[in-house]
Amino acid sequence: MKRIILLLLLISQSFVAQNKSNLELIDIYDLENVSDPQISPDGKQIIYVRNFKDIMTDKNLSNLWIADFDGSRNRPLTTGNSRDFNPIWSPEGNKFLFKSNMDGEMKLYLMWMDTKQKMVLSDSKESPGDISWSPDGERIVFTKFVPSEKASIIKLPKKPEGAKWNEEPKYITEMNYRGDGAGYLKTGNSQIFILSTDGGTPRQLTNSEFDYESPVWGKDGMTLYFSANMQEDRELDPLNSEIYKMDISSGNVTALTDRQGPDANPVVSPDGNKLAYLGFDDNLQGYQLSNLYVMNTDGTGKQIISSEFDRDINGIQWGKNSKEIYFYYDDQGSTKLAKIDFSGNVSDLTADLGGLSQGRPYNAASFSVAPNGNYAFTTGKETMPADLAVGSKRNIRVLTNLNEDLFSFKNLGNVEEIRWNSSFDQKEIQGWIVTPPNFDPSKKYPMILEIHGGPFASYGKVFSAEIQLMAAAGYVVLYTNPRGSTGYGEEFGNLIHHDYPNNDYDDLMSGVDALIAKGYVNPDNLFVTGGSGGGVLTAWIVGKTDRFKAAVVAKPVINWYSFVLYADNPGYFYKYWFGKKPWEDPESYLKRSPLTYVANVTTPTMLLTGEEDFRTPIAESEQFYAALKIEGVETAMVRIPGASHGIASTPSNLMAKVAAILAWFNKYKE
């Protein structure tokens, strides 16, 4: 009888597997994920953000859910087609703050845990930014943008009554006058406000030309700590922020740090005696590790405690004993949760964080820790976007499986790690191979090389809708972390310092060769694409080799000379990525610009960029498109209306991006 049951089970599983379909573009609307899990002060409950998509309005939406630490009583706190996010527990754990546009505009809400009643705390046109509870739970501080008027020197005659003139000209004097995803910036600054949780009118604590960030309370309830860049030349020195202390009653502000470089993200220890913060000594390198520092709350006793830890520190939170600090970090494609003591000793708790980037396989995660040591985090893997997980010491449990319903009848590509040595200097490079569903290693498949942006960023062993859709279309996909990627130490990251793009090309081509050597890729059927920094490298590749059948260059930099003057942060890009202004060293700018090598290009090349991209403005794509046309190269330009640098910020734009890439490759595939 047992044999019969087992046979029936195997037949059933085989039938299900055979009747699964491959992932399709429209399935993007069914993907869900967890973000921002916040564990309660007693460590017994977790509020988390459950993200979903609305196919009718083409919006990314989210509600708040709550679950007990053991996974029971998992249920919604908010519902509806809105964006509810950023939950923040009160110190007592009897209420929490969150942001929502449930009433049409983004507002700050307070909800009580016992009754689930909620009230609006702030409903101004400018929504709150960073938020912090007072130790007694009776007040909050938050940042909010405050517009200011700027007089124009352009004076026009009075318009006759009823006349229809054009809008008055915009008079701009700031260096940073537009921002990617924000458009042309309003005049004003981010200021600090204080507000009673009983409601009322927020009181503005700062009123200056500076932007204030990350305000947190001192344990006495009368002191605030925050970071700001108050340098006179802050537009030309954008990273030089300091930690400040404010006496709330008098408004007096005292600088606690004073070095060249960023000091930010202050966090007060539970005993109220120390501040932890992040930063580094600015050496004007392209990539500089984010280090962890501790000082007394009066600014004395500063010490770096992560000097021997060759990875970026992120998301710092104090342990209950005020002697250790929790954080997460990226390490060779994996995101890990760890803690560190004042001597710099690091202990890993789990390597299972991730899953927040649904489009491309970037490392991204979030976590929170309770005073009793229980913690909650987002966990992701190659076949699943982020779910909710919890841990106590090193005992890990995953509490949700949000995409089980979708993936129960969808085939996904298998993800396998691969490592090789670069032909340039034998540096070991890490990557991942994604094979099509129902993969047969005896066959020959077309291949796509997909390159990450940044360039100081990293891919990992996490779910990617774009990569899986490419695999579902019958391609073997290779994605990699060439030199310059983060998660491999400061030296590896700076192998492209003032030398990008260059030998990262050799890293990528060596990876393609290593994959071809496995025997299941057709070397005459290769394709390449990448976005942002990956777009730079894709354009660079087609200027150096004709081995690819077609290329899609997404949101690239083509001409460094124009980019550093046209992007949304000119004071940063020339200073850190080149070291000299374009007119001081035009040869270096031209040498590293893909546009310089356009006469070498024979590969059919598509350009793809958002029309409102201010990070790598569409003028960069337009230049390369025109140059390719002049050279007689097969080319096309795809412009995504309304999209900024983050093209995939709406589900339909993500579909459009992948559809365009696959359409171009399918056109030239053998």
Side-chain angles (χ1 to χ4, degrees):
M1 185 65 180
K2 289 183 179 180
R3 290 182 179 179
I4 295 175
I5 293 174
L6 179 60
L7 180 62
L8 290 173
L9 179 60
L10 291 173
I11 293 173
S12 174
Q13 290 175 341
S14 176
F15 177 79
V16 171
Q18 291 175 4
N19 284 273
K20 283 186 175 183
S21 60
N22 291 349
L23 199 66
E24 302 174 79
L25 290 171
I26 199 69
D27 294 328
I28 287 172
Y29 282 102
D30 291 322
L31 292 174
E32 297 184 70
N33 73 283
V34 167
S35 63
D36 198 14
Q38 293 298 315
I39 195 164
S40 59
D42 61 9
K44 295 181 178 179
Q45 294 179 300
I46 304 100
I47 299 175
Y48 64 95
V49 180
R50 182 166 176 167
N51 302 280
F52 61 99
K53 299 167 176 59
D54 181 24
I55 196 170
M56 300 306 294
T57 62
D58 192 31
K59 291 182 178 179
N60 292 303
L61 304 174
S62 57
N63 294 145
L64 299 181
W65 284 57
I66 189 169
D68 288 349
F69 186 77
D70 62 5
S72 64
R73 298 199 301 164
N74 187 20
R75 58 210 184 280
L77 289 170
T78 65
T79 58
N81 285 352
S82 57
R83 285 189 62 230
D84 313 322
F85 63 105
N86 198 193
I88 308 173
W89 288 95
S90 67
E92 311 93 329
N94 61 345
K95 52 194 173 186
F96 69 94
L97 301 166
F98 67 99
K99 299 175 188 176
S100 175
N101 64 353
M102 64 178 67
D103 291 335
E105 294 190 3
M106 193 60 65
K107 300 176 182 179
L108 179 64
Y109 287 82
L110 175 67
M111 179 180 287
W112 284 265
M113 293 303 299
D114 54 355
T115 64
K116 304 302 184 289
Q117 289 179 309
K118 60 182 181 294
M119 66 175 285
V120 175
L121 274 183
S122 175
D123 61 356
S124 65
K125 288 186 177 180
E126 304 293 340
S127 61
D130 302 324
I131 306 168
S132 175
W133 283 94
S134 65
D136 60 8
E138 296 182 358
R139 295 168 294 167
I140 61 171
V141 292
F142 58 89
T143 59
K144 186 177 67 170
F145 180 79
V146 178
S148 62
E149 293 293 331
K150 184 179 70 173
S152 173
I153 64 172
I154 303 170
K155 305 302 180 185
L156 297 176
K158 185 178 180 181
K159 180 172 62 175
E161 186 176 351
K164 296 181 179 179
W165 292 6
N166 191 22
E167 292 183 22
E168 291 188 6
K170 296 179 174 68
Y171 179 65
I172 297 171
T173 58
E174 298 83 9
M175 175 182 286
N176 298 322
Y177 59 91
R178 58 185 183 178
D180 186 67
Y184 283 81
L185 303 175
K186 297 178 182 178
T187 303
N189 296 93
S190 176
Q191 308 290 351
I192 299 177
F193 291 77
I194 188 169
L195 175 65
S196 168
T197 53
D198 291 332
T201 303
R203 177 165 66 95
Q204 187 171 337
L205 297 180
T206 61
N207 185 12
S208 73
E209 59 185 4
F210 308 118
D211 291 314
Y212 298 85
E213 298 179 346
S214 307
V216 293
W217 293 82
K219 193 172 183 180
D220 60 6
M222 297 301 297
T223 307
L224 296 180
Y225 303 92
F226 59 87
S227 63
N229 186 340
M230 297 189 186
Q231 313 303 323
E232 289 187 10
D233 62 344
R234 56 192 172 279
E235 286 191 322
L236 292 171
D237 196 10
L239 299 187
N240 196 14
S241 62
E242 310 294 351
I243 304 293
Y244 293 89
K245 177 180 181 178
M246 173 190 284
D247 178 76
I248 296 176
S249 59
S250 67
N252 291 334
V253 172
T254 305
L256 300 183
T257 60
D258 59 0
R259 64 168 171 186
Q260 179 66 38
D263 293 308
N265 307 104
V267 184
V268 181
S269 61
D271 63 14
N273 295 326
K274 293 187 178 294
L275 286 174
Y277 59 102
L278 300 176
F280 53 81
D281 293 311
D282 192 355
N283 296 314
L284 302 183
Q285 294 180 156
Y287 173 51
Q288 301 181 82
L289 284 179
S290 176
N291 286 310
L292 175 61
Y293 297 80
V294 171
M295 64 179 168
N296 298 322
T297 52
D298 62 0
T300 62
K302 297 180 182 68
Q303 65 176 120
I304 179 173
I305 64 173
S306 63
S307 59
E308 301 301 316
F309 187 69
D310 194 22
R311 296 292 186 270
D312 285 299
I313 305 287
N314 301 285
I316 54 176
Q317 297 181 34
W318 283 94
K320 182 181 180 181
N321 61 10
S322 298
K323 295 181 180 179
E324 59 188 13
I325 297 166
Y326 293 85
F327 67 98
Y328 71 89
Y329 68 99
D330 294 332
D331 180 46
Q332 301 193 33
S334 178
T335 304
K336 300 178 180 180
L337 176 61
K339 60 183 178 179
I340 185 171
D341 62 24
F342 287 0
S343 297
N345 299 310
V346 175
S347 301
D348 288 344
L349 296 176
T350 178
D352 298 325
L353 275 69
L356 293 185
S357 176
Q358 284 193 15
R360 298 162 76 189
Y362 285 111
N363 293 114
S366 59
F367 80 97
S368 61
V369 182
N372 66 359
N374 288 351
Y375 52 91
F377 61 97
T378 59
T379 184
K381 54 186 178 180
E382 299 94 323
T383 55
M384 287 285 182
D387 274 303
L388 174 64
V390 297
S392 180
K393 295 184 179 179
R394 289 176 176 81
N395 299 316
I396 307 298
R397 294 194 314 280
V398 180
L399 303 187
T400 64
N401 191 355
L402 299 189
N403 295 282
E404 182 181 21
D405 53 347
L406 173 63
F407 292 154
S408 64
F409 59 90
K410 291 291 179 179
N411 281 318
L412 294 177
N414 181 63
V415 183
E416 171 193 347
E417 183 182 332
I418 179 175
R419 293 179 185 251
W420 63 91
N421 298 109
S422 173
S423 62
F424 174 67
D425 57 5
Q426 297 303 302
K427 291 283 186 187
E428 185 180 71
I429 308 298
Q430 183 183 26
W432 291 266
I433 304 166
V434 185
T435 50
N438 304 313
F439 171 68
D440 182 350
S442 67
K443 295 182 178 180
K444 295 285 189 179
Y445 289 86
M447 189 216 78
I448 296 174
L449 170 64
E450 208 284 335
I451 310 169
H452 75 62
F456 304 107
S458 67
Y459 276 163
K461 51 180 183 179
V462 292
F463 177 81
S464 163
E466 291 189 32
I467 301 295
Q468 286 291 342
L469 285 165
M470 292 173 182
Y475 293 86
V476 171
V477 185
L478 173 66
Y479 67 90
T480 81
N481 284 334
R483 68 190 61 214
S485 299
T486 56
Y488 302 85
E490 190 167 22
E491 179 186 356
F492 188 86
N494 277 303
L495 290 175
I496 62 170
H497 177 58
H498 291 180
D499 192 31
Y500 163 78
N502 192 4
N503 301 125
D504 32 4
Y505 166 85
D506 302 287
D507 301 347
L508 295 168
M509 294 306 101
S510 298
V512 172
D513 293 337
L515 177 52
I516 290 174
K518 290 183 174 291
Y520 51 76
V521 165
N522 182 351
D524 297 321
N525 224 4
L526 308 179
F527 302 86
V528 60
T529 186
S532 193
V536 176
L537 276 165
T538 303
W540 185 261
I541 285 168
V542 297
K544 292 180 71 73
T545 181
D546 61 359
R547 72 186 300 188
F548 293 93
K549 298 279 290 185
V552 177
V553 177
K555 48 188 180 182
V557 175
I558 298 303
N559 181 348
W560 288 109
Y561 204 115
S562 59
F563 165 78
V564 299
L565 303 176
Y566 197 47
D568 60 353
N569 197 350
Y572 175 84
F573 290 118
Y574 90 86
K575 189 174 185 178
Y576 290 89
W577 287 9
F578 285 87
K580 293 183 179 180
K581 305 177 184 74
W583 46 90
E584 293 174 338
D585 188 15
E587 183 178 350
S588 292
Y589 282 80
L590 290 173
K591 182 180 178 181
R592 292 164 55 185
S593 294
L595 184 61
T596 300
Y597 310 99
V598 70
N600 299 335
V601 179
T602 59
T603 306
T605 301
M606 171 187 282
L607 284 302
L608 187 155
T609 304
E611 290 190 325
E612 296 181 10
D613 189 332
F614 290 142
R615 181 62 43 80
T616 55
I618 198 168
E620 293 293 311
S621 295
E622 292 168 338
Q623 290 180 71
F624 206 54
Y625 176 75
L628 291 169
K629 281 291 188 183
I630 291 171
E631 289 295 321
V633 180
E634 292 181 72
T635 186
M637 179 165 55
V638 176
R639 307 168 67 97
I640 308 295
S644 60
H645 195 64
I647 290 176
S649 59
T650 64
S652 65
N653 282 350
L654 176 55
M655 288 196 304
K657 179 187 176 186
V658 177
I661 292 171
L662 291 176
W664 189 250
F665 290 167
N666 289 340
K667 180 180 178 181
Y668 298 96
K669 182 175 66 173
E670 293 181 356

